[in-house]
Every structure is written in C-alpha cells, then in structure tokens.
Amino acid sequence: MTHEEARLELDATTLRPQDLSEEARTLLEQDAALAAWTDRRRSFDERVAGAMPEEVPAGLRERLLVLDAGSRHRTVWKRTPWFAAAAAVLLLGGLLVRPGPGPETSWQDEAMVVVRQLEHGRTRLTERAGSLEALRGYLDARHSPSPGRMPGRMDQTRTFGCKLIQAGGHPATIICFQLEDGREAHLVIIENAGPRGRPPEEPKLTALDGWNLAAWSDGPVSYLLATTADAAALKRLLGLG
Amino acid sequence: MEIALQPGFAPPTTARPELRVTEPAPSFQQIVDAHYQGLHRFALSMCRRADVAEDLVQQTFLQWARKGHTLRDRTKVKTWLFTTLYREWLGQARREVRHPEVEFEPDLHGVEEPAEDEPEPRVDSATLQEALERLDPGHRAPLVLFYLKELSYREIADTLGVPVGTVMSRLSRAKDRLRSILRSLQDDNAPSNLLSLPRP
C-alpha cells in the first residue's frame, strides 16, 4: 500500500475506524505525520457529522408501516399453499377464457397502494394545482405522464394536484380530483405499460374492495380512475351518466 | 378485458431459493424500525425538501414491500434500501430542470488540499445544508452517506454503483471541496461583508 492509498483509506474511515484495513492501520502506527493528518481530518469530519440533520417527521414510522399492506398478498401466497394453488387455478382459468394477452396486475396494484395513501392523507402530493390544465403544464415540462384527451367532465373538474410515482417499473402520474360531495377521484396515468397491462379504449367500469374503478387506454397511454364515491358519481365524471 | 386488480394472483417469476439462515427473516416492521431514520436523513440531505424526502423514504419501503423478498443475502438489506432510495432520488432529480441528465465526473475537477495552518470553518446545520447543496451530486451522495455513518465506504460504493477506489477518491475531494465552500460561506456572512451590503 502506497502512502497515498493509505491516506485515501484513512480519510474514508475517520468516522468508522472499524472499517480500516490492517495494512493501513500498521502504516498509521508507524507514521506520526500520517497520524496527525488523520486526526485533523477526523476532527473536521466529526464536526460535520454532528451537524447532519437528525429530525424525522412525526408519524413517519406509522405511515411507513401501512405500506406493508401492499405486500400482504405475497405473504399469504408464501405461507398458504392451498391459497396459492387456488390462485393459480383462477389465473389459469382467466388466461383460458380471456381472449388476447393475459392480465398484468403490477402497475395497477402498485398505483393503487399510493392511491389509498393519497385518499387517507398518508402521503403528499408532488405538486398542487387547481386545474387539469395547470397540471398538464407542470407534467409536460418534466416529461412525466400527462393527461391527454379526457372524457366527460374531467377537464372541468377541480383538482388538488398530482403525485409522481413509479408503478410496475414505469413512471406514472396520479392526479387527484375534487368531486361534488367532498370525495376524491384519483386518475393514474402511465405510458407504454405494454400490451398486457393495457385496458380497452372505452372506459371499463368495475367495483373492488370499496372502490369504483374505470380503466381505459388512449394509444400508448393507459388510465385508471379510482374513487370511493358511488358508481353514479364516477359515471358523471366520465360523462357516462 | 377486465381490470386485473385482485392482489395475490401473480405467481412468482422465479423459484424461491432455499434459505440457509436459521434465524427468521426480519419483519417489515423490524426493517422499518432499523432503517427509516437513516434513510430519511439521507433523503433530506440530498433533496433538502421535507415533503420530497418523506416521499423518497415511502417509495423506498414500498419497493421493499413489493420486491424485498427477492433479496437473497439478508446482510444486504441496508445497502438495498439505500441503493433504492438513491435511485429514486436520481430519477426525481433528473426530471427536474435544475439537475440536467449529465453524468458528473468529479475526478476532472481539481480540488486543492487546504493548508495545515488554515483555520477550520464554522459548521452548523443550516450552513452545512447550504454547502452540501452547492456540491455536485457526484460528490454530495458519497459524502452524505459517509457523514451519516450508516455505511462503510465499501457499502457506499455498492450503493452508488461505483468502484471502491472511486468512492475513496471522491470522498477525499468532496471533503476538501466542502471545507472550501464552508469557508467561503463563512466569509460571505462575516460582519464586515454584511455591513457593506447595500441598504434597501
């Protein structure tokens, strides 16, 4: 080990001397000038380390712990062979009766985890804006998935803002709308999710776990609209009722 | 086509490897408890915005909840989390105008080592954050990880995806650059300079 290599290693371990190699430690013991230089570096490093941010937001731990809900189904899979077998049969059945490509749950599942957090105020918006037009400007400037032609009354509906996320390995945007009865609707926008994850071109409505959902695609862009408001409110928003 | 949102129906893509450890795998809660504070400090030092830092930490643990089970080596949990957060931050930073998508090469930027008799600059939390913000990302990331003391320099190299030697040289240069920025901030805020500011 050269003197310069020893200095680099010593400098990289001033705050964690346990990481120092035996060779560098030996050099340090034999070279008083090197030891003095290391002491000066450590003194500065300790003062900087002491000024690093310490505070963690109140409630962050609790907000993180709820994220495990998104993976709970995986735990069930791991621990319950019967559940896994039944799920496999259902999946196979779905593949057989479904024309075309099979389901791709990844981006929708991941986006819904964040949608639930937004609905319950457990995560914050990336940008706040009161209109879809303003959000389009924000998203286009950042080359983030942006809403194209919107059906029904969506262009006129007041927004809270948007959140930029990753879903299924793709950048995605969630836009939060303010509905008439004080409830919210959340629009997930994702580009190039692949043919397996692409919904039909016309909005397809369904209900699941207390959510009313609509999914559709427009070219390479896929949309998922989710709300806990009733199905009639969802249809009004989409111009279907 | 229906919307496929029913959770739990996606079969594993690869066979689950046999675990050789006898200890039970740490629970999600245990992993959160062990690492969320360090991750938040890392995120906050990198982005300086509390809301963005919290989002970065949330995205990191969301990724862990989804993909953590694929990590074979349980000793790498911490590195996995810091790597994930760093990549999330990189993704966000590159989308912002102020961080153009340019790979910084710190080794091209010479930094002079301070003279031994130079007084040490004052270090407080606010000044340090301002100084860190002025560092290039290629310097800031290893330096912040170093000062958080969570990771060894080898783990920092793993986290950032660069060779160990590169991390060591970047750390050394980044410290000198930080010291220089702190000193210049201190000079800017010196009473003599403040008094010479034009009055409104």
Side-chain angles (χ1 to χ4, degrees), chain A residues 9 19 21, chain B residues 151-159 162 164 167:
Chain A
E9 188 179 326
D19 298 332
S21 71
Chain B
L151 303 173
S152 70
Y153 65 91
R154 292 182 186 281
E155 291 170 325
I156 293 173
D158 277 351
T159 298
V162 296
V164 170
V167 159

Side-chain angles (χ1 to χ4, degrees), chain A residues 92-116:
Chain A
L92 186 60
L95 289 172
L96 290 174
V97 299
R98 192 187 308 268
E104 178 87 12
T105 62
S106 173
W107 74 265
Q108 294 160 323
D109 281 349
E110 290 189 17
M112 280 303 293
V113 171
V114 185
V115 165
R116 288 188 184 95

Side-chain angles (χ1 to χ4, degrees), chain A residues 73-127:
Chain A
H73 58 275
R74 177 175 48 75
T75 309
V76 172
W77 173 281
K78 184 170 67 178
R79 291 180 183 167
T80 316
W82 283 108
F83 182 86
V89 168
L90 284 172
L91 175 69
L92 186 60
L95 289 172
L96 290 174
V97 299
R98 192 187 308 268
E104 178 87 12
T105 62
S106 173
W107 74 265
Q108 294 160 323
D109 281 349
E110 290 189 17
M112 280 303 293
V113 171
V114 185
V115 165
R116 288 188 184 95
Q117 292 173 2
L118 286 165
E119 178 79 9
H120 296 106
R122 294 192 195 118
T123 188
R124 298 175 191 182
L125 294 167
T126 310
E127 177 72 8

Side-chain angles (χ1 to χ4, degrees), chain B residues 1-130:
Chain B
M1 185 186 292
E2 293 175 14
I3 308 167
L5 277 167
Q6 292 85 345
F9 294 159
T13 52
T14 54
R16 189 178 299 279
E18 288 295 323
L19 297 176
R20 294 182 182 174
V21 291
T22 53
E23 293 178 10
S27 67
F28 184 82
Q29 181 175 331
Q30 287 172 321
I31 288 172
V32 167
D33 285 342
H35 303 298
Y36 83 100
Q37 291 176 326
L39 287 165
H40 183 267
R41 295 173 73 204
F42 179 40
L44 191 58
S45 295
M46 293 304 291
C47 69
R48 290 191 72 189
R49 281 180 51 189
D51 56 339
V52 177
E54 180 164 340
D55 281 347
L56 286 169
V57 177
Q58 290 206 12
Q59 287 291 335
T60 300
F61 281 109
L62 189 60
Q63 293 291 326
W64 175 260
R66 303 285 305 176
K67 301 175 184 171
H69 65 284
T70 62
L71 182 68
R72 292 187 183 190
D73 187 350
R74 296 259 161 77
T75 64
K76 300 278 188 185
V77 171
K78 189 197 283 188
T79 311
W80 191 99
L81 291 168
F82 276 89
T83 301
T84 301
L85 191 145
Y86 177 64
R87 288 178 180 166
E88 289 281 344
W89 174 79
L90 271 183
Q92 286 197 9
R94 282 174 177 156
R95 283 195 292 272
E96 292 182 14
V97 178
R98 63 200 181 96
H99 291 300
E101 196 162 350
V102 174
E103 184 66 27
F104 178 75
E105 185 43 73
D107 299 335
L108 298 177
H109 299 242
V111 178
E112 287 183 16
E113 189 164 337
E116 289 184 13
D117 55 352
E118 270 189 286
E120 292 287 3
R122 190 183 69 245
V123 183
D124 60 60
S125 188
T127 313
L128 174 62
Q129 285 304 306
E130 190 175 345

Side-chain angles (χ1 to χ4, degrees), chain A residues 24-37:
Chain A
R25 196 184 303 275
T26 304
L27 274 173
L28 185 65
E29 289 167 359
Q30 294 170 348
D31 188 334
L34 190 61
W37 176 86

